[in-house]
Amino acid sequence: MICEFHLSSVHFCSYDVQMFLRSQVMIYAIREIKLPNITIGYDIYDTCGDVSLAVRATLELLNNQSNPQSCLLPSEAQMKVVIGERYSEVSIAVARIVALSSVAQISYASTSKFLSDRFKFPTFLRTVPSDKYQTRGIVELVKTFLWQTVIIVGSDDEYGLFGSDSLEDTFSQDTNICVEFVQILSADFMTNNSQTQTELTELLEKIKNSSAEAIILFTKDTNAEIILEAAIRHKVNRTWIASDAWSSSPKISAMPDIKLAGEVFGFIFKQKEVPGFKDHVMSMFNGTENALLKDYLTQNPLCSNQSVEGRKKCLASYIDQDESYRIYLAVQVIGEGLRRLLKCDTHQCEHSSKFTASEVQ
């Protein structure tokens, strides 16, 4: 028997229906894996996108991997794979820890090119491209519109710092494009305090007084949301370039008067619907006694018989086709890896299910 642990930023610490559905994609995809005489279990830990919580959860996973209570499987069950994290800075912290036990980690959203260093992160994999390609794409976008001056706003984390540095380096190689300034948001920018407000006010004032033709926001969706809300309030109408972290954010696109902030050009990854998942969501609440499922159903009804316009607040309408699909791919990769490792066909597996975590890579 194989116990497969998953670490994910599912954000149950706050009500987020999309994060909830992404956790359900994991479970749905795991249950789709059919291997003869093999049971795959899972644990999902809520990290809330926080490094310290993620480290604590990872250490708990490693400490309890022989615990018979984990995954409700016998004591021989052990952690083989970790799926997650979402944010690059959290993935980096987790990757350093799980590598000590040669446990493979597959992220579905962490794009920092720093994670491509196989010497530092030998067990890290992902179902999303490195930022190396995204920064090249942003530079090509600027060239296409013949913009000559840009502003780069990053964040004080691995994603924002490495992305901003990469952009600045690439722009410096082209003498026709000038970076007016680079602003790195403080680590606690998301915290609603006086320091954040001062930092935000100063940033908007610099943008107002600049001659830049585009502002590149290479930061988390939460930071971008704060900046764009302030831009709307203060009537700062500019051209914005969105990194993948917030380019498809439903919260930002649904912000009141978002058009007042100006045009937004964004980069997204290839999107695809998870096969059969929408039907699964529509049926998984039938007769459920699960308190968590009931809570989400109360907040967002299924609305299976309503018109398209009437389904905007319905549960199935929140299923995304980017991160959800990449989560699904991560689980499928694990399933295929196990199938090849154990040499399984539809009836039996030639090899024993007892193997080390490093063999899964």
Side-chain angles (χ1 to χ4, degrees):
M1 291 187 178
I2 302 167
C3 182
E4 182 182 327
F5 290 85
H6 305 272
L7 186 68
S8 173
S9 177
V10 290
H11 288 269
F12 291 141
C13 49
S14 62
Y15 183 84
D16 191 319
V17 65
Q18 266 202 327
M19 292 300 178
F20 163 72
L21 287 170
R22 287 167 186 162
S23 72
Q24 297 305 306
V25 168
M26 280 193 191
I27 298 170
Y28 169 77
I30 290 168
R31 290 175 177 171
E32 276 200 334
I33 299 174
K34 306 297 183 185
L35 298 174
N37 300 318
I38 299 292
T39 300
I40 301 178
Y42 60 88
D43 280 351
I44 297 181
Y45 281 68
D46 181 13
T47 68
C48 300
D50 182 83
V51 171
S52 58
L53 289 176
V55 168
R56 187 184 307 168
T58 306
L59 292 173
E60 187 174 337
L61 286 174
L62 292 170
N63 185 54
N64 295 336
Q65 59 178 307
S66 295
N67 185 341
Q69 295 302 314
S70 295
C71 293
L72 303 177
L73 291 177
S75 58
E76 67 266 20
Q78 292 188 348
M79 177 168 65
K80 303 298 185 185
V81 182
V82 169
I83 293 182
E85 247 284 340
R86 189 178 188 224
Y87 297 122
S88 293
E89 67 270 23
V90 186
S91 278
I92 287 171
V94 172
R96 295 187 192 279
I97 298 171
V98 297
L100 298 174
S101 299
S102 299
V103 173
Q105 176 187 353
I106 306 178
S107 173
Y108 50 86
S110 297
T111 57
S112 172
K113 67 175 184 178
F114 187 53
L115 285 160
S116 298
D117 189 328
R118 299 301 294 171
F119 180 76
K120 293 181 178 179
F121 306 102
T123 64
F124 180 82
L125 304 163
R126 51 187 163 194
T127 56
V128 62
S130 160
D131 283 332
K132 176 177 70 174
Y133 305 103
Q134 180 179 191
T135 52
R136 288 179 187 172
I138 290 175
V139 172
E140 288 302 315
L141 175 68
V142 172
K143 288 181 179 180
T144 298
F145 284 97
L146 302 177
W147 294 326
Q148 296 182 329
T149 310
V150 298
I151 292 169
I152 301 172
V153 179
S155 43
D156 190 12
D157 52 51
E158 281 77 4
Y159 176 76
L161 288 173
F162 281 93
S164 299
D165 287 345
S166 180
L167 280 169
E168 193 173 12
D169 290 343
T170 308
F171 280 126
S172 67
Q173 297 168 18
D174 193 317
T175 55
N176 295 321
I177 300 172
C178 172
V179 177
E180 187 168 330
F181 67 85
V182 178
Q183 180 84 21
I184 300 299
L185 306 172
S186 61
D188 60 348
F189 184 77
M190 290 184 294
T191 308
N192 188 17
N193 53 31
S194 57
Q195 182 180 344
T196 299
Q197 291 305 313
T198 300
E199 185 179 358
L200 182 60
T201 301
E202 290 176 353
L203 173 61
L204 288 177
E205 196 63 30
K206 288 169 73 175
I207 292 174
K208 273 185 179 181
N209 297 329
S210 76
S211 59
E213 293 149 295
I215 298 96
I216 304 168
L217 295 186
F218 209 103
T219 185
K220 295 178 180 178
D221 51 353
T222 45
N223 289 339
E225 186 177 352
I226 293 170
I227 293 170
L228 291 174
E229 280 181 344
I232 294 168
R233 285 198 311 272
H234 295 280
K235 298 180 173 58
V236 180
N237 186 294
R238 302 301 290 265
T239 298
W240 309 85
I241 299 178
S243 65
D244 66 280
W246 67 275
S247 58
S248 58
S249 167
K251 286 186 178 180
I252 291 177
S253 60
M255 283 168 55
D257 300 321
I258 184 61
K259 291 182 180 180
L260 298 180
E263 290 185 311
V264 178
F265 294 86
F267 284 78
I268 61 173
F269 303 112
K270 184 177 180 180
Q271 298 186 329
K272 193 172 181 180
E273 188 173 335
V274 175
F277 183 62
K278 184 173 287 187
D279 291 337
H280 170 73
V281 169
M282 300 299 288
S283 64
M284 71 181 184
F285 294 93
N286 292 343
T288 184
E289 295 299 322
N290 186 301
L292 181 64
L293 293 184
K294 282 185 174 181
D295 180 54
Y296 276 92
L297 186 59
T298 300
Q299 298 284 343
N300 297 90
L302 292 175
C303 315
S304 57
N305 296 321
Q306 288 192 17
S307 64
V308 174
E309 183 65 25
R311 291 184 188 179
K312 286 184 178 178
K313 291 187 177 180
C314 300
L315 196 62
S317 68
Y318 286 94
I319 300 173
D320 64 271
Q321 295 186 12
D322 41 29
E323 281 192 34
S324 288
Y325 186 68
R326 298 198 299 269
I327 292 169
Y328 179 77
L329 283 180
V331 179
Q332 291 294 305
V333 165
I334 295 168
E336 184 58 28
L338 292 175
R339 189 171 287 108
R340 293 185 183 187
L341 176 65
L342 303 179
K343 294 191 175 180
C344 301
D345 56 24
T346 54
H347 303 293
Q348 64 178 2
C349 295
E350 291 183 21
H351 289 185
S352 167
S353 62
K354 293 183 179 180
F355 56 89
T356 63
S358 61
E359 292 180 82
V360 182
Q361 298 175 47

